[in-house]
């Protein structure tokens, strides 16, 4: 019989809990979020607590934790709170190394687009630009922000956005679907580890079933 180690999260640090979460919830898709401040400063940052919510209306979510250095809000969140707009760009094998350059803590006036060599592409509905190098981009308007925790380091904000435009590069798109092996997405693991999505298999669902 297998044995398990039971851990009370209240009996260890937020950092220790974080290590368990990122080590056990894998792989995690990466939201490469572009925003713009009221002053016009562009920001670009990756977040691996990210997923879809529903399709009617098309809604996605990502979570941004408070900065580890001082517990302050990250520029991405500040910009979204001020403008109500953001773009989620999907990270692929081709851009993952450049994406990693944007993960540092930079002053608000520093454009990670320029720092990492990404190209801005104008959005159609909202002000923040898209990452031209990403083959799948979603323009989003803010639905709501859910605050989690007491505001200390490790606390977070769940950002929920409604997709108002999808942008899909034609070479990865076929008959209304995105072809995964052409998209070549990259997912986040624990620590400094990432993984490509390559070994794919299909499983037919039970008749009439969608889970739940």
């Amino acid at each position: 019989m297998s044995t398990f180690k039971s851990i009370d999260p209240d009996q260890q640090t937020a950092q220790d809990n974080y290590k368990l979460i990122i080590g056990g919830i894998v792989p995690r898709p990466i939201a490469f979020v572009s925003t713009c401040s009221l002053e016009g400063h562009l920001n670009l940052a990756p977040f691996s607590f990210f997923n879809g919510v529903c399709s009617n209306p098309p809604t996605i979510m990502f979570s941004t934790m408070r900065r580890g250095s001082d517990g302050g809000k990250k520029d991405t969140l500040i910009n979204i709170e001020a403008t109500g707009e953001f773009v989620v760009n999907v990270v692929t094998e081709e851009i993952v190394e450049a994406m990693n350059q944007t993960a540092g803590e930079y002053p608000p006036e520093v454009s990670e687009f320029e720092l990492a060599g990404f190209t801005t592409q104008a959005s159609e509905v909202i002000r923040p630009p898209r990452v031209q190098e990403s083959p799948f981009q979603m323009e989003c308007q803010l639905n709501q922000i859910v605050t989690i925790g007491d505001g200390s380091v490790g606390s977070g904000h769940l950002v929920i956005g409604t997709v108002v435009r999808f942008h899909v590069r034609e070479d990865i798109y076929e008959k209304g679907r995105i072809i995964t092996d052409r998209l070549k997405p990259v997912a986040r693991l624990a620590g400094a580890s990432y993984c490509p999505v390559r070994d794919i298999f299909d499983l037919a669902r039970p008749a009439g079933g969608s889970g739940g």
Side-chain angles (χ1 to χ4, degrees):
M1 178 181 293
S2 300
T3 59
F4 289 83
K5 179 178 179 62
S6 296
I7 300 171
D8 182 349
D10 290 336
Q11 300 302 313
Q12 61 179 14
T13 67
Q15 181 64 19
D16 288 333
N17 291 330
Y18 175 73
K19 290 178 181 178
L20 290 177
I21 289 172
I22 65 170
I25 303 176
V26 291
R28 300 186 306 281
I30 304 168
F32 201 19
V33 181
S34 48
T35 59
C36 183
S37 72
L38 291 176
E39 296 76 23
H41 299 305
L42 300 183
N43 185 267
L44 187 58
F47 299 89
S48 67
F49 288 0
F50 159 58
N51 222 308
V53 176
C54 62
S55 61
N56 186 23
T59 304
I60 62 176
M61 55 74 63
F62 74 94
S63 177
T64 168
M65 293 197 302
R66 289 184 174 269
R67 290 196 303 260
S69 59
D70 59 6
K73 293 179 179 179
K74 295 183 178 179
D75 294 336
T76 296
L77 178 64
I78 293 172
N79 292 346
I80 294 173
E81 287 179 327
T83 68
E85 299 178 335
F86 60 97
V87 179
V88 170
N89 308 273
V90 166
V91 176
T92 65
E93 293 180 39
E94 290 83 0
I95 67 172
V96 65
E97 290 189 14
M99 175 278 297
N100 190 51
Q101 299 303 308
T102 72
E105 194 170 305
Y106 306 107
E109 64 273 12
V110 171
S111 170
E112 288 85 357
F113 275 93
E114 295 181 7
L115 184 146
F118 285 110
T119 307
T120 59
Q121 185 166 6
S123 294
E124 293 184 2
V125 180
I126 62 176
R127 187 181 179 194
R130 298 174 277 148
V131 175
Q132 186 180 83
E133 290 80 4
S134 172
F136 182 46
Q137 313 140 356
M138 293 173 282
E139 296 182 34
C140 300
Q141 292 177 337
L142 179 64
N143 178 298
Q144 62 180 300
I145 296 173
V146 181
T147 300
I148 309 293
D150 60 6
S152 60
V153 174
S155 298
H157 297 82
L158 180 66
V159 179
I160 304 172
T162 303
V163 181
V164 294
R165 283 291 187 281
F166 293 105
H167 300 277
V168 188
R169 204 172 65 199
E170 289 188 358
D171 63 305
I172 70 165
Y173 183 75
E174 187 176 289
K175 298 179 181 180
R177 298 178 180 274
I178 293 173
I179 310 303
T180 304
D181 59 4
R182 298 179 192 170
L183 176 65
K184 297 182 179 179
V186 171
R188 195 78 163 86
L189 302 174
S193 298
Y194 295 80
C195 69
V197 180
R198 292 179 182 166
D199 295 329
I200 301 172
F201 62 92
D202 295 334
L203 287 175
R205 290 183 177 181
S210 60

